[in-house]
Tab-separated table of all heavy atoms in Angstrom:
chain	number	residue	atom	x	y	z
A	110	ASN	N	8.948	-12.031	-23.813
A	110	ASN	CA	7.428	-12.024	-23.591
A	110	ASN	C	6.966	-12.575	-22.288
A	110	ASN	O	6.105	-12.128	-21.626
A	110	ASN	CB	6.728	-12.825	-24.754
A	110	ASN	CG	6.833	-12.099	-25.955
A	110	ASN	OD1	6.842	-10.892	-26.083
A	110	ASN	ND2	6.765	-12.740	-27.110
A	111	LYS	N	7.612	-13.685	-21.819
A	111	LYS	CA	7.314	-14.283	-20.609
A	111	LYS	C	7.642	-13.334	-19.342
A	111	LYS	O	6.839	-13.239	-18.389
A	111	LYS	CB	8.056	-15.647	-20.382
A	111	LYS	CG	7.515	-16.757	-21.319
A	111	LYS	CD	8.329	-18.064	-21.075
A	111	LYS	CE	7.760	-19.176	-21.986
A	111	LYS	NZ	8.457	-20.508	-21.720
A	112	MET	N	8.804	-12.710	-19.507
A	112	MET	CA	9.233	-11.646	-18.529
A	112	MET	C	8.209	-10.535	-18.412
A	112	MET	O	7.794	-10.143	-17.342
A	112	MET	CB	10.650	-11.184	-18.790
A	112	MET	CG	11.246	-10.414	-17.670
A	112	MET	SD	11.787	-11.619	-16.376
A	112	MET	CE	13.019	-12.558	-17.324
A	113	HIS	N	7.863	-10.114	-19.577
A	113	HIS	CA	6.919	-9.060	-19.579
A	113	HIS	C	5.592	-9.389	-18.932
A	113	HIS	O	4.959	-8.618	-18.094
A	113	HIS	CB	6.611	-8.676	-21.104
A	113	HIS	CG	5.699	-7.569	-21.289
A	113	HIS	ND1	4.327	-7.792	-21.514
A	113	HIS	CD2	5.672	-6.177	-21.322
A	113	HIS	CE1	3.596	-6.708	-21.601
A	113	HIS	NE2	4.508	-5.673	-21.511
A	114	GLY	N	5.172	-10.646	-19.289
A	114	GLY	CA	3.866	-11.055	-18.661
A	114	GLY	C	3.804	-11.193	-17.162
A	114	GLY	O	2.938	-10.801	-16.514
A	115	LEU	N	5.052	-11.746	-16.660
A	115	LEU	CA	5.105	-11.792	-15.188
A	115	LEU	C	5.098	-10.458	-14.475
A	115	LEU	O	4.470	-10.247	-13.433
A	115	LEU	CB	6.563	-12.458	-14.854
A	115	LEU	CG	6.495	-13.973	-15.212
A	115	LEU	CD1	8.042	-14.569	-15.056
A	115	LEU	CD2	5.590	-14.821	-14.316
A	116	ILE	N	5.870	-9.388	-15.046
A	116	ILE	CA	5.797	-8.034	-14.629
A	116	ILE	C	4.455	-7.456	-14.568
A	116	ILE	O	4.013	-6.875	-13.675
A	116	ILE	CB	6.855	-7.160	-15.350
A	116	ILE	CG1	8.293	-7.701	-15.180
A	116	ILE	CG2	6.740	-5.691	-15.013
A	116	ILE	CD1	8.816	-7.422	-13.809
A	117	VAL	N	3.686	-7.711	-15.687
A	117	VAL	CA	2.340	-7.209	-15.761
A	117	VAL	C	1.479	-7.719	-14.670
A	117	VAL	O	0.763	-7.064	-13.938
A	117	VAL	CB	1.715	-7.511	-17.243
A	117	VAL	CG1	0.249	-7.261	-17.180
A	117	VAL	CG2	2.325	-6.606	-18.242
A	118	VAL	N	1.529	-9.092	-14.436
A	118	VAL	CA	0.743	-9.792	-13.381
A	118	VAL	C	1.240	-9.190	-12.009
A	118	VAL	O	0.214	-9.086	-11.120
A	118	VAL	CB	0.905	-11.249	-13.422
A	118	VAL	CG1	0.114	-11.939	-12.353
A	118	VAL	CG2	0.353	-11.840	-14.803
A	119	MET	N	2.458	-8.940	-11.819
A	119	MET	CA	2.827	-8.450	-10.546
A	119	MET	C	2.235	-6.968	-10.292
A	119	MET	O	1.717	-6.745	-9.214
A	119	MET	CB	4.367	-8.239	-10.567
A	119	MET	CG	5.255	-9.383	-10.270
A	119	MET	SD	7.026	-9.084	-10.139
A	119	MET	CE	7.181	-8.614	-8.414
A	120	CYS	N	2.197	-6.164	-11.299
A	120	CYS	CA	1.499	-4.895	-11.246
A	120	CYS	C	-0.013	-5.182	-10.962
A	120	CYS	O	-0.595	-4.369	-10.088
A	120	CYS	CB	1.634	-3.995	-12.557
A	120	CYS	SG	3.257	-3.392	-12.749
A	121	GLU	N	-0.681	-6.119	-11.537
A	121	GLU	CA	-2.042	-6.364	-11.231
A	121	GLU	C	-2.208	-6.697	-9.808
A	121	GLU	O	-3.176	-6.250	-9.170
A	121	GLU	CB	-2.502	-7.421	-12.199
A	121	GLU	CG	-2.709	-7.126	-13.610
A	121	GLU	CD	-2.953	-8.250	-14.509
A	121	GLU	OE1	-2.807	-9.484	-14.016
A	121	GLU	OE2	-3.333	-8.005	-15.734
A	122	LYS	N	-1.465	-7.588	-9.195
A	122	LYS	CA	-1.489	-7.945	-7.817
A	122	LYS	C	-1.199	-6.815	-6.915
A	122	LYS	O	-1.895	-6.640	-5.974
A	122	LYS	CB	-0.471	-9.078	-7.518
A	122	LYS	CG	-0.602	-10.304	-8.392
A	122	LYS	CD	-1.756	-11.163	-7.953
A	122	LYS	CE	-1.874	-12.522	-8.734
A	122	LYS	NZ	-3.045	-13.330	-8.451
A	123	ILE	N	-0.337	-5.851	-7.332
A	123	ILE	CA	-0.151	-4.732	-6.446
A	123	ILE	C	-1.314	-3.769	-6.466
A	123	ILE	O	-1.629	-3.331	-5.455
A	123	ILE	CB	1.148	-3.989	-6.959
A	123	ILE	CG1	2.432	-4.838	-6.619
A	123	ILE	CG2	1.336	-2.628	-6.312
A	123	ILE	CD1	3.676	-4.360	-7.265
A	124	LEU	N	-1.949	-3.593	-7.638
A	124	LEU	CA	-3.145	-2.794	-7.624
A	124	LEU	C	-4.255	-3.439	-6.800
A	124	LEU	O	-4.939	-2.728	-6.199
A	124	LEU	CB	-3.622	-2.718	-9.217
A	124	LEU	CG	-2.812	-1.735	-10.068
A	124	LEU	CD1	-3.241	-1.905	-11.499
A	124	LEU	CD2	-3.151	-0.279	-9.538
A	125	ALA	N	-4.413	-4.845	-6.860
A	125	ALA	CA	-5.472	-5.452	-6.068
A	125	ALA	C	-5.161	-5.163	-4.548
A	125	ALA	O	-6.052	-4.869	-3.782
A	125	ALA	CB	-5.496	-6.855	-6.468
A	126	SER	N	-3.832	-5.295	-4.117
A	126	SER	CA	-3.406	-5.139	-2.766
A	126	SER	C	-3.703	-3.683	-2.333
A	126	SER	O	-4.250	-3.395	-1.189
A	126	SER	CB	-1.972	-5.538	-2.607
A	126	SER	OG	-1.772	-6.854	-2.781
A	127	LEU	N	-3.365	-2.788	-3.148
A	127	LEU	CA	-3.690	-1.382	-2.789
A	127	LEU	C	-5.092	-0.990	-2.622
A	127	LEU	O	-5.504	-0.163	-1.782
A	127	LEU	CB	-2.957	-0.406	-3.825
A	127	LEU	CG	-1.457	-0.305	-3.801
A	127	LEU	CD1	-0.998	0.558	-5.103
A	127	LEU	CD2	-1.034	0.375	-2.591
A	128	THR	N	-5.916	-1.756	-3.536
A	128	THR	CA	-7.452	-1.609	-3.357
A	128	THR	C	-7.872	-2.087	-2.051
A	128	THR	O	-8.740	-1.448	-1.345
A	128	THR	CB	-8.098	-2.333	-4.538
A	128	THR	OG1	-7.719	-1.757	-5.804
A	128	THR	CG2	-9.656	-2.040	-4.455
A	129	HIS	N	-7.345	-3.192	-1.676
A	129	HIS	CA	-7.738	-3.753	-0.351
A	129	HIS	C	-7.233	-2.969	0.796
A	129	HIS	O	-7.854	-2.860	1.878
A	129	HIS	CB	-7.171	-5.202	-0.068
A	129	HIS	CG	-7.890	-6.263	-0.887
A	129	HIS	ND1	-9.215	-6.556	-0.848
A	129	HIS	CD2	-7.454	-7.162	-1.901
A	129	HIS	CE1	-9.563	-7.539	-1.637
A	129	HIS	NE2	-8.476	-7.874	-2.286
A	130	LEU	N	-5.988	-2.384	0.626
A	130	LEU	CA	-5.398	-1.469	1.590
A	130	LEU	C	-6.248	-0.178	1.926
A	130	LEU	O	-6.522	0.140	3.073
A	130	LEU	CB	-4.007	-1.052	1.303
A	130	LEU	CG	-3.304	-0.218	2.253
A	130	LEU	CD1	-2.937	-1.174	3.479
A	130	LEU	CD2	-1.878	0.344	1.612
A	131	ILE	N	-6.779	0.437	0.799
A	131	ILE	CA	-7.609	1.519	0.963
A	131	ILE	C	-8.855	1.244	1.621
A	131	ILE	O	-9.415	1.993	2.471
A	131	ILE	CB	-7.889	2.297	-0.385
A	131	ILE	CG1	-8.162	3.741	-0.228
A	131	ILE	CG2	-8.709	1.613	-1.297
A	131	ILE	CD1	-8.106	4.573	-1.404
A	132	GLU	N	-9.366	-0.014	1.287
A	132	GLU	CA	-10.688	-0.344	2.006
A	132	GLU	C	-10.510	-0.624	3.472
A	132	GLU	O	-11.256	-0.360	4.290
A	132	GLU	CB	-11.193	-1.665	1.320
A	132	GLU	CG	-12.547	-2.085	1.835
A	132	GLU	CD	-13.741	-1.114	1.531
A	132	GLU	OE1	-13.546	-0.238	0.673
A	132	GLU	OE2	-14.648	-1.076	2.251
A	133	SER	N	-9.174	-1.236	3.669
A	133	SER	CA	-8.942	-1.500	5.211
A	133	SER	C	-8.805	-0.178	6.003
A	133	SER	O	-9.235	-0.172	7.076
A	133	SER	CB	-7.654	-2.302	5.125
A	133	SER	OG	-7.360	-2.636	6.588
A	134	ILE	N	-8.209	0.943	5.410
A	134	ILE	CA	-7.987	2.098	5.927
A	134	ILE	C	-9.413	2.769	6.184
A	134	ILE	O	-9.708	3.325	7.247
A	134	ILE	CB	-7.022	3.083	5.198
A	134	ILE	CG1	-5.555	2.388	5.169
A	134	ILE	CG2	-6.948	4.394	5.878
A	134	ILE	CD1	-4.717	3.215	4.247
A	135	LYS	N	-10.173	2.601	5.100
A	135	LYS	CA	-11.500	3.406	5.118
A	135	LYS	C	-12.373	2.801	6.127
A	135	LYS	O	-13.191	3.646	6.765
A	135	LYS	CB	-12.052	3.089	3.718
A	135	LYS	CG	-13.336	3.884	3.402
A	135	LYS	CD	-13.858	3.569	2.032
A	135	LYS	CE	-15.216	4.251	1.686
A	135	LYS	NZ	-15.699	4.009	0.386
A	136	THR	N	-12.362	1.631	6.384
A	136	THR	CA	-13.264	0.958	7.369
A	136	THR	C	-12.679	0.944	8.749
A	136	THR	O	-13.322	0.400	9.586
A	136	THR	CB	-13.643	-0.487	6.915
A	136	THR	OG1	-12.467	-1.316	6.683
A	136	THR	CG2	-14.520	-0.401	5.616
A	137	LEU	N	-11.487	1.378	8.964
A	137	LEU	CA	-10.846	1.246	10.252
A	137	LEU	C	-11.718	1.862	11.361
A	137	LEU	O	-11.754	1.474	12.508
A	137	LEU	CB	-9.423	1.890	10.142
A	137	LEU	CG	-8.433	1.599	11.345
A	137	LEU	CD1	-8.292	0.128	11.575
A	137	LEU	CD2	-7.124	2.203	10.959
A	138	SER	N	-12.301	3.100	11.027
A	138	SER	CA	-13.037	3.789	11.989
A	138	SER	C	-14.498	3.351	12.085
A	138	SER	O	-15.174	3.648	13.189
A	138	SER	CB	-12.897	5.359	11.806
A	138	SER	OG	-11.678	5.770	11.983
A	139	SER	N	-14.995	2.686	11.163
A	139	SER	CA	-16.379	2.222	11.123
A	139	SER	C	-16.624	0.941	11.517
A	139	SER	O	-17.643	0.581	12.021
A	139	SER	CB	-17.061	2.617	9.717
A	139	SER	OG	-16.316	1.911	8.617
A	140	SER	N	-15.717	0.030	10.953
A	140	SER	CA	-16.007	-1.425	11.208
A	140	SER	C	-14.564	-2.134	11.345
A	140	SER	O	-13.946	-2.436	10.284
A	140	SER	CB	-16.753	-1.998	10.093
A	140	SER	OG	-16.817	-3.363	10.271
A	141	ALA	N	-14.023	-2.241	12.458
A	141	ALA	CA	-12.752	-2.846	12.700
A	141	ALA	C	-12.693	-4.334	11.954
A	141	ALA	O	-11.666	-4.620	11.460
A	141	ALA	CB	-12.339	-3.034	14.216
A	142	LYS	N	-13.725	-5.053	12.121
A	142	LYS	CA	-13.773	-6.374	11.684
A	142	LYS	C	-13.633	-6.426	10.141
A	142	LYS	O	-12.787	-7.142	9.566
A	142	LYS	CB	-15.168	-7.038	12.042
A	142	LYS	CG	-15.203	-8.519	11.563
A	142	LYS	CD	-16.542	-9.053	11.975
A	142	LYS	CE	-16.627	-10.565	11.462
A	142	LYS	NZ	-17.984	-11.175	11.901
A	143	LYS	N	-14.297	-5.523	9.353
A	143	LYS	CA	-14.101	-5.409	7.972
A	143	LYS	C	-12.752	-4.827	7.645
A	143	LYS	O	-12.191	-5.315	6.669
A	143	LYS	CB	-15.166	-4.372	7.375
A	143	LYS	CG	-16.573	-4.963	7.417
A	143	LYS	CD	-17.613	-3.947	6.759
A	143	LYS	CE	-19.045	-4.589	6.644
A	143	LYS	NZ	-19.893	-3.605	6.054
A	144	SER	N	-12.107	-3.978	8.403
A	144	SER	CA	-10.829	-3.538	8.157
A	144	SER	C	-9.868	-4.737	8.163
A	144	SER	O	-8.898	-4.764	7.408
A	144	SER	CB	-10.437	-2.490	9.252
A	144	SER	OG	-9.148	-1.952	9.038
Side-chain angles (χ1 to χ4, degrees):
N110 287 337
K111 289 183 179 179
M112 193 75 62
H113 178 269
L115 291 168
I116 295 291
V117 167
V118 177
M119 283 184 85
C120 286
E121 291 173 347
K122 300 289 184 181
I123 291 170
L124 280 170
S126 292
L127 287 170
T128 302
H129 286 303
L130 185 66
I131 200 170
E132 186 63 24
S133 186
I134 298 169
K135 184 178 179 181
T136 55
L137 193 51
S138 293
S139 59
S140 175
K142 184 178 179 181
K143 288 183 179 178
S144 179

